[in-house]
Amino acid sequence: MPEFTFETTVQQLEKRKGGYFYLKIDASIVNQFERKRATRLICTIDGKLSYQCGLNHFGDGHFFIIIATRYIKQLKKQLGDKITFFLEEDPNPLGVEVPEVLEVLLEQDEEAKASYEKMTDGRKRSLIHAMTRIKNIDKQVELALKFLAEQRAKSR
């Protein structure tokens, strides 16, 4: 698996494009990953902070990864500051842990499992993130079933 270390400055997108802090990645780097732009990554900044992330396309052939504002604050960095970051492929292609509730549901319901397997990784992540925001297990199951039923309806 390719791994890369870079030194760059913290940059920020225009406000109309979200105003996110980001790190630019050259297309030649992205093309070395087996899954190219679909690669999920682990980014380690200044050897202090690691997080899972995905690639975003600039539209000019190059890419960027977003750095959450909370990470910028935690690292005591600001726009234009130099940082060193290390990128490696995330061994989990989804980039998130599948909740136990969803794993059990998919084991017990073949139709739900078939719908889940047809979903893109992005849709799977959306479902997982939505579920983890809910504390009540019954409501998590309800959300998952609704999400998977919508997927089934789309694929017909």
Side-chain angles (χ1 to χ4, degrees):
M1 277 195 259
E3 299 174 348
F4 301 94
T5 301
F6 307 92
E7 188 174 303
T8 190
T9 57
V10 175
Q11 299 176 56
Q12 189 172 21
L13 293 173
E14 305 168 33
K15 293 292 182 200
R16 68 182 182 84
K17 292 186 177 181
Y20 300 111
F21 291 103
Y22 71 91
L23 302 170
K24 187 173 182 178
I25 317 277
D26 192 83
S28 65
I29 300 300
V30 172
N31 289 332
Q32 292 181 49
F33 291 110
E34 185 178 328
R35 295 187 69 207
K36 311 288 188 235
R37 67 185 281 176
T39 303
R40 296 294 301 176
L41 302 167
I42 297 175
C43 178
T44 303
I45 300 176
D46 289 345
K48 298 176 184 173
L49 174 105
S50 293
Y51 63 99
Q52 295 171 304
C53 58
L55 293 161
N56 298 283
H57 199 273
F58 263 124
D60 65 356
H62 299 291
F63 299 85
F64 65 96
I65 55 172
I66 294 173
I67 310 173
T69 302
R70 71 179 182 274
Y71 296 152
I72 295 290
K73 289 177 181 175
Q74 188 177 335
L75 293 163
K76 297 180 174 65
K77 298 288 184 179
Q78 54 190 338
L79 187 61
D81 283 354
K82 285 205 179 301
I83 63 166
T84 301
F85 68 103
F86 174 75
L87 291 178
E88 60 187 317
E89 281 187 68
D90 190 334
N92 177 349
L94 276 181
V96 293
E97 295 302 316
V98 177
E100 186 178 353
V101 171
L102 182 56
E103 286 178 345
V104 170
L105 174 67
L106 297 175
E107 285 173 14
Q108 295 176 355
D109 186 331
E110 287 298 320
E111 224 177 285
K113 183 177 182 176
S115 294
Y116 182 79
E117 288 173 353
K118 289 179 184 174
M119 293 167 57
T120 64
D121 288 349
R123 284 290 284 161
K124 290 174 184 175
R125 276 191 297 279
S126 293
L127 170 59
I128 291 166
H129 288 305
M131 287 180 70
T132 57
R133 286 193 287 270
I134 299 171
K135 300 298 178 215
N136 181 300
I137 291 174
D138 292 333
K139 291 197 185 292
Q140 286 180 345
V141 171
E142 187 179 312
L143 172 75
L145 289 171
K146 180 181 175 194
F147 213 92
L148 294 165
E150 289 171 4
Q151 175 63 35
R152 228 177 352 266
K154 285 180 187 177
S155 63
R156 287 187 179 153

